[in-house]
Amino acid sequence: MNSEDEKFMRLALDLAKRGEGWVNPNPMVGAVIVKDGKIIGVGWHRRFGEKHAEVNAIEDAKRKGYDVRGATMYVTLEPCSHWGKQPPCADRIIKEGFKRVVVAMVDPNPLVAGKGIEKMWKAGIEVEVGLLEEEARRLNEIFIKYVTSKMPFVSIKLAMTLDGFIATETSSSQWITGEKARQRVQELRRGHMAIMVGAGTVLADNPRLNCRLKNCPEKVKVILDRSGRVANAIREGKKFRLFEDGRVIFFTERPELFEGIAEAYPITEPGEILRKLGELGIDSVLIEGGRIACGFLPFADKFYLFYGPKLFGNGIKPFECLKVQKASEAPVVRIESIERLGESFLVTAYPGGG
Ligand code: AOF
Ligand code: ZN
């Protein structure tokens, strides 16, 4: 491996990101074809169920009149070996006569899991695995979790004052962070299939819970409404903007109240809610309701903590259910990055220290 290899793999990773939001619950994948030191084809997985990145790159090269025989392919995920909605990419790569394939990471999908690499290797292709693996794993952290556990990747997003409050005592929270931070939330929504809040947020803010970026698919909106307050409000004639687009799912003790209104399940326990969402094919949930966040803390895979330049002194704290007594017994997070967003900032972190 050399720095040229790394350059091409970085390009493949950048291409893969173009599929963000559109490919779930499948992975984002990018591929670059190089011959005699020159890029002759690029491709990425564009949309769930459509052609894989490798095939798109091969077709791109052919469209431009190149012969891929003897070329090298850089691909961010191991080429597949199984028949899914698409034919196996490993077979296609062998058939096309590639000389070398550089793979960032093995496919965690149990249906593939090394079989694609083995196939190509047995056919006499030079296969190298692990270039920029860390970046590739980070890119597809949602896919990795979902394909190996069938449980959605859980991100907790909170907007807090500098002294750690998500709302005042009187539940006022608009706004704590500024415009740039809220724009960043839109980007987070793009990467997640579902957005989750509690009924309190729906009743107080009437949010749309959609993604308003240019290139963004519809979101699944998940509302935790134990006693059916939103259903009652609808029966009283109230209109909610979250019904304007996308699928809406309620979790409640009173599913009968939602008949004729929305999809509803009689589940209220966080672990069971997540299991149900996984069953419904949802690979990722962005929890945006500060008051419901604490219940999902044991299941959190990632934290997006936004801090605005305000001090409340009192009000609602996000993780009160923890009730930590000793500092030495507190849960620890590993900070991944800190981004300045105008007057606010975003701390991205993973659970667990180290
Ligand atoms: C993708 N896009 O570019 C690659 C994938 O049902 P299928 O045929 O689309 O297969 C999906 C599986 O194929 C997916 O879980 C992953 O293991 C593998 N590779 N998938 O959607 C791609 N290369
Ligand atoms: Zn494939």
Side-chain angles (χ1 to χ4, degrees):
M1 309 259 181
N2 55 40
S3 64
E4 282 289 285
D5 284 340
E6 201 174 302
K7 187 181 85 188
F8 296 131
M9 189 61 88
R10 270 194 210 288
L11 173 60
L13 286 164
D14 284 346
L15 291 164
K17 280 188 204 122
R18 298 191 189 179
E20 191 182 39
W22 294 99
V23 300
N24 309 60
N26 275 349
M28 288 174 253
V29 187
V32 172
I33 301 174
V34 175
K35 199 171 176 179
D36 303 324
K38 187 177 161 209
I39 296 171
I40 61 168
V42 296
W44 65 96
H45 187 48
R46 290 168 179 267
R47 224 177 222 272
F48 176 79
E50 293 184 1
K51 284 179 190 163
H52 289 181
E54 302 90 318
V55 171
N56 283 331
I58 291 169
E59 289 184 353
D60 182 50
K62 292 193 171 182
R63 210 179 306 119
K64 291 172 183 155
Y66 291 108
D67 179 8
V68 298
R69 196 155 285 278
T72 297
M73 179 182 288
Y74 297 84
V75 58
T76 60
L77 184 73
E78 170 186 7
C80 62
S81 54
H82 70 301
W83 280 86
K85 285 170 290 301
Q86 294 292 330
C89 294
D91 291 350
R92 178 74 186 268
I93 288 169
I94 294 166
K95 192 181 119 224
E96 296 285 350
F98 278 84
K99 179 169 179 281
R100 181 170 171 245
V101 176
V102 184
V103 174
M105 63 176 280
V106 173
D107 188 347
N109 183 350
L111 291 174
V112 185
K115 292 195 204 85
I117 289 167
E118 192 183 308
K119 246 186 187 181
M120 296 188 296
W121 179 70
K122 283 195 169 148
I125 298 176
E126 290 168 37
V127 186
E128 288 161 50
V129 184
L131 179 63
L132 300 185
E133 175 163 359
E134 218 182 295
E135 286 86 342
R137 298 189 78 85
R138 186 56 40 88
L139 173 73
N140 274 316
E141 57 190 2
I142 288 174
F143 172 70
I144 294 170
K145 162 107 189 255
Y146 186 62
V147 82
T148 55
S149 69
K150 291 293 156 210
M151 288 286 273
F153 187 94
V154 177
S155 299
I156 294 181
K157 171 245 144 180
L158 295 168
M160 288 177 276
T161 60
L162 267 190
D163 54 346
F165 294 100
I166 56 171
T168 65
E169 277 178 338
T170 57
S171 282
S172 159
S173 63
Q174 282 179 343
W175 299 97
I176 292 172
T177 54
E179 187 49 45
K180 274 199 178 142
R182 301 210 300 276
Q183 192 62 23
R184 189 73 179 80
V185 173
Q186 289 290 317
E187 286 171 19
L188 299 183
R189 284 183 179 177
R190 173 162 52 201
H192 293 79
M193 273 181 93
I195 314 297
M196 186 193 282
V197 298
T201 299
V202 174
L203 293 165
D205 303 343
N206 194 6
R208 277 175 281 182
L209 301 179
N210 59 358
C211 177
R212 299 186 282 279
L213 300 177
K214 251 191 270 122
N215 180 26
C216 215
E218 286 186 344
K219 299 289 121 182
V220 176
K221 297 142 186 207
V222 179
I223 318 300
L224 309 194
D225 188 3
R226 191 178 285 275
S227 60
R229 287 190 289 157
V230 175
N232 288 330
I234 290 169
R235 285 177 205 286
E236 284 162 17
K238 184 123 178 49
K239 297 256 180 295
F240 292 100
R241 301 197 293 176
L242 64 93
F243 290 104
E244 286 167 14
D245 62 14
R247 178 177 176 182
V248 183
I249 303 175
F250 285 86
F251 286 95
T252 175
E253 277 171 0
R254 307 283 309 276
E256 73 282 0
L257 292 178
F258 290 88
E259 257 166 52
I261 292 178
E263 189 177 349
Y265 298 97
I267 308 171
T268 53
E269 197 274 315
E272 292 308 312
I273 288 172
L274 293 172
R275 196 175 311 284
K276 183 70 197 177
L277 292 174
E279 251 174 59
L280 295 173
I282 293 165
D283 68 358
S284 49
V285 189
L286 182 64
I287 299 181
E288 291 203 37
R291 284 185 187 74
I292 62 170
C294 212
F296 286 88
L297 206 46
F299 306 98
D301 293 296
K302 197 167 188 176
F303 298 100
Y304 293 101
L305 309 177
F306 290 85
Y307 291 87
K310 291 191 177 174
L311 303 167
F312 284 175
N314 56 40
I316 298 160
K317 300 172 202 138
F319 295 132
E320 232 164 355
C321 73
L322 274 178
K323 304 207 184 313
V324 173
Q325 298 300 314
K326 276 186 161 172
S328 59
E329 287 165 6
V332 178
V333 302
R334 185 171 55 74
I335 295 178
E336 164 80 0
S337 66
I338 301 171
E339 285 168 58
R340 184 161 184 149
L341 301 157
E343 294 303 307
S344 307
F345 65 96
L346 165 61
V347 176
T348 302
Y350 291 95

